[in-house]
Amino acid sequence: MTAEPAVTSFAALHHRPGEPLLLPNAWDHASAAALAARGFPAIATTSLAVAAAAGLPDGRGATREHTLRLARTLGAEPWLLSVDAEDGFGDDPDEVARLADRLWDLGVVGINLEDGLGPAEAHAAKIAAVKAAVPGLFVNARTDTYWLGDGDETDTLRRLDAYRQAGADGLFVPGLTDPDRIGTLVRHVDAPLNVLYSPTGPTVPRLADLGVARVSLGSLLYRRALGAALDAVADIAAGRVPGGTTPSYAEVCALGGGAP
């Protein structure tokens, strides 16, 4: 493969002091292409959207093949692609490593793996297996101590240290919005720290000041898109002209490379 320069570029996007990687999450080819057209060099997927589109539960390991299918669609495109792979869709580190290898072959340069508050040692074993099988793949190791737990700082640091020692390239703590705690983690870890943007949390410039290296949008754009559709149909039913941005038919066709 010729993916190594892309991987190097993706890793470099996490090492720009004062300029965190703002990583938008897409759910299909059109959303990814539209985001790339706005100048975002890297695009991620979101497991919630993959699951919702298939009528399946999120975070339950039900969307492995759907995730691979989306990666196959997006991985050959010119943008850098990172895939949300839940917990790796299994407990066996070797199986997770095989999944990572398949994603790599599809052109994916990054993978997000979440611990779901399971044993840190088991998650570390998955990370180590992935890095052994696909050394160039950027592994973003996520802990859910704030997302699913009570935000225990000692447990958070313990898990992040274990994942870093296992070979994780980046560390992700979704649900963490307190600036002081974010700053503490930035100072503690020796890898790029990723946080999930929250409309009620710090702004991207504030996160940059705190030293955050990567800001993910998660399922926010997908949920906003659904909300915009519901708002539009409500306006139409009430006799109002719907507001907001509406790409033309031709513009959407162009995102897929086709003619109207």
Side-chain angles (χ1 to χ4, degrees):
M1 287 186 60
T2 59
E4 193 62 40
V7 174
T8 301
S9 298
F10 186 61
L13 293 174
H14 296 74
H15 296 278
R16 301 176 298 177
E19 188 181 354
L21 169 62
L22 180 58
L23 189 63
N25 300 68
W27 53 93
D28 59 12
H29 186 276
S31 58
L35 290 165
R38 286 295 181 98
F40 291 98
I43 308 294
T45 64
T46 164
S47 67
L48 175 62
V50 172
L56 295 170
D58 183 33
R60 306 286 183 83
T63 57
R64 183 180 188 276
E65 294 308 313
H66 298 82
T67 299
L68 283 168
R69 191 175 303 122
L70 181 59
R72 187 174 296 110
T73 299
L74 303 183
E77 297 295 343
W79 54 76
L80 301 169
L81 179 65
S82 182
V83 166
D84 180 355
E86 296 188 4
D87 67 349
F89 302 110
D91 296 327
D92 182 354
D94 290 336
E95 285 292 332
V96 176
R98 281 190 282 273
L99 169 70
D101 190 51
R102 287 188 65 184
L103 290 171
W104 173 264
D105 286 341
L106 292 173
V108 173
V109 298
I111 188 172
N112 194 77
L113 294 172
E114 61 197 50
D115 65 12
L117 283 188
E121 297 76 13
H123 197 58
K126 295 179 185 180
I127 294 166
V130 169
K131 291 302 294 184
V134 197
L137 188 66
F138 189 101
V139 175
N140 199 45
R142 164 177 155 173
T143 184
D144 289 315
T145 50
Y146 283 84
W147 190 251
L148 300 176
D150 58 5
D152 184 282
E153 190 167 350
T154 300
D155 189 32
T156 300
L157 293 173
R158 179 183 68 85
R159 288 172 179 270
L160 294 181
D161 285 343
Y163 305 158
R164 178 58 171 160
Q165 291 173 18
D169 302 287
L171 302 169
F172 185 21
V173 189
L176 175 61
T177 58
D178 179 78
D180 291 336
R181 292 195 172 191
I182 292 172
T184 296
L185 288 186
V186 169
R187 291 188 295 272
H188 177 88
V189 301
D190 66 343
L193 182 68
N194 180 195
V195 300
L196 182 68
Y197 171 79
S198 170
T200 60
T203 63
V204 171
R206 177 65 175 131
L207 292 171
D209 291 341
L210 291 169
V212 170
R214 170 167 156 178
V215 181
S216 297
L217 299 185
S219 64
L220 178 62
L221 298 182
Y222 177 70
R223 292 182 287 113
R224 292 273 297 185
L226 287 178
L230 294 173
D231 288 345
V233 75
D235 283 339
I236 293 168
R240 299 186 295 268
V241 176
T245 301
T246 305
S248 70
Y249 179 86
E251 289 170 331
V252 175
C253 285
L255 293 174

